[in-house]
Amino acid sequence: MSARRFRQDHLLGIEQLSVDDIEIILETAEAFIEVSSRDVKKVPALKGKTVVNLFFENSTRTRSSFEIAAKRLSADLINFNSSISSLKKGETLKDTVLTLEAMNPHIIVIRHSASGSPHYLTTFARSSIVNAGDGFHEHPTQALLDALTIQQRLKTLRGLKIAIVGDILHSRVARSNIILHQKMGNEIALIGPPSLVPTEFEKMGAKVCYDIRSGVKNADVVMMLRVQEERGAKNYFPSIREYRNRFAISREIFALAKKSAILMHPGPINRDVEIETSMADSEQSVILQQVTNGIAVRMAVLYLLKGEIHETLN
Ligand code: CP
């Protein structure tokens, strides 16, 4: 466990984290991986603490892994269901959060379609706020679990070429990864059709590339993104067939990356649109390792925000 101190009250984005903060989260997550390999997968680090999962958008991975993470830390967890809540009766987000806060939770994990909603909560809430995805803006725990997976497989988080392919425009996963790898000093190539990869992204320190072959060439990491139908992404290119022909990861395209390269995807994947099935299930694919690492990273985040240092590994 690192002797350095994590000094954040919330996890709003990768933007707010220093390189030290990122390294502390990853070191702490490494320690929690061992807990998940035990027969009894529980430590008392958050005993007596309450975590609220406040999800206003669909989720399989993030919501369930925050739930498992909180339970493995012995926290009490409430899963708030927005579809049966009083929001349906006209209650505002602020009143909903104030109502939940009146029950004295310690951490609120929020996913919301509005960019900046976790930041808004910090203006009036007493709990630590964790961003589980806000609109097109950030998805910090996804970028952190991606970083942990890269570090495990490639033994470093520095000196890498990271190729991110697909719907960058609508992707909070892309934004958080760009910010993280920019902080780590890595080379970032963004690949996709011009309508989904505006040159605006070059201001974030990434290179924009419209040809998948040159973008993927010599990459250490190829990160595919989902075509976000719910955000209208299909209107940004002529047809799925054309998109697949130009940007899907096939064996032939992946062979242009380094021999040691890994293939990532935050999920959910659209097989044979973004990734050929044989590549998604290949040795180079780390998609399920990303999911597994999500638990350790989210345990680390919850613990660093509200845990008791000396209790962690007992
Ligand atoms: N990667 C990710 O955020 O997946 P979910 O939408 O299933 O949580």
Side-chain angles (χ1 to χ4, degrees), residues 58-63 111 139 142 266-268:
N58 295 342
S59 172
T60 301
R61 281 145 282 268
T62 312
R63 181 180 168 130
R111 171 172 286 192
H139 190 351
Q142 180 69 46

Side-chain angles (χ1 to χ4, degrees), residues 160-204:
L160 301 174
K161 177 177 176 183
I162 314 284
I164 308 179
V165 188
D167 179 4
I168 312 287
L169 181 66
H170 300 106
S171 177
R172 53 198 178 206
V173 174
R175 271 182 193 71
S176 286
N177 267 289
I178 294 167
I179 299 167
L180 188 147
H181 290 289
Q182 221 263 336
K183 285 181 194 254
M184 291 296 166
N186 290 324
E187 183 186 338
I188 306 156
L190 305 178
I191 305 145
S195 53
L196 290 175
V197 192
T199 49
E200 204 59 20
F201 280 94
E202 293 194 332
K203 290 186 187 147
M204 294 179 78

Side-chain angles (χ1 to χ4, degrees), residues 231-243:
R231 304 196 203 278
K234 277 190 180 165
N235 300 324
Y236 287 74
F237 48 83
S239 71
I240 282 287
R241 196 165 67 168
E242 189 200 287
Y243 184 86

Side-chain angles (χ1 to χ4, degrees), residues 11 13-19 21-23 25-26 138-148 150-151 157-158 160 162 164 172-188 204 223 297:
L11 179 68
I14 300 296
E15 185 74 57
Q16 289 78 13
L17 300 180
S18 64
V19 170
D21 289 330
I22 293 167
E23 288 174 348
I25 293 170
L26 299 183
E138 277 225 43
H139 190 351
T141 55
Q142 180 69 46
L144 289 162
L145 71 89
D146 292 343
L148 180 64
I150 293 169
Q151 194 168 265
L157 254 189
R158 289 190 163 80
L160 301 174
I162 314 284
I164 308 179
R172 53 198 178 206
V173 174
R175 271 182 193 71
S176 286
N177 267 289
I178 294 167
I179 299 167
L180 188 147
H181 290 289
Q182 221 263 336
K183 285 181 194 254
M184 291 296 166
N186 290 324
E187 183 186 338
I188 306 156
M204 294 179 78
M223 187 179 292
V297 159

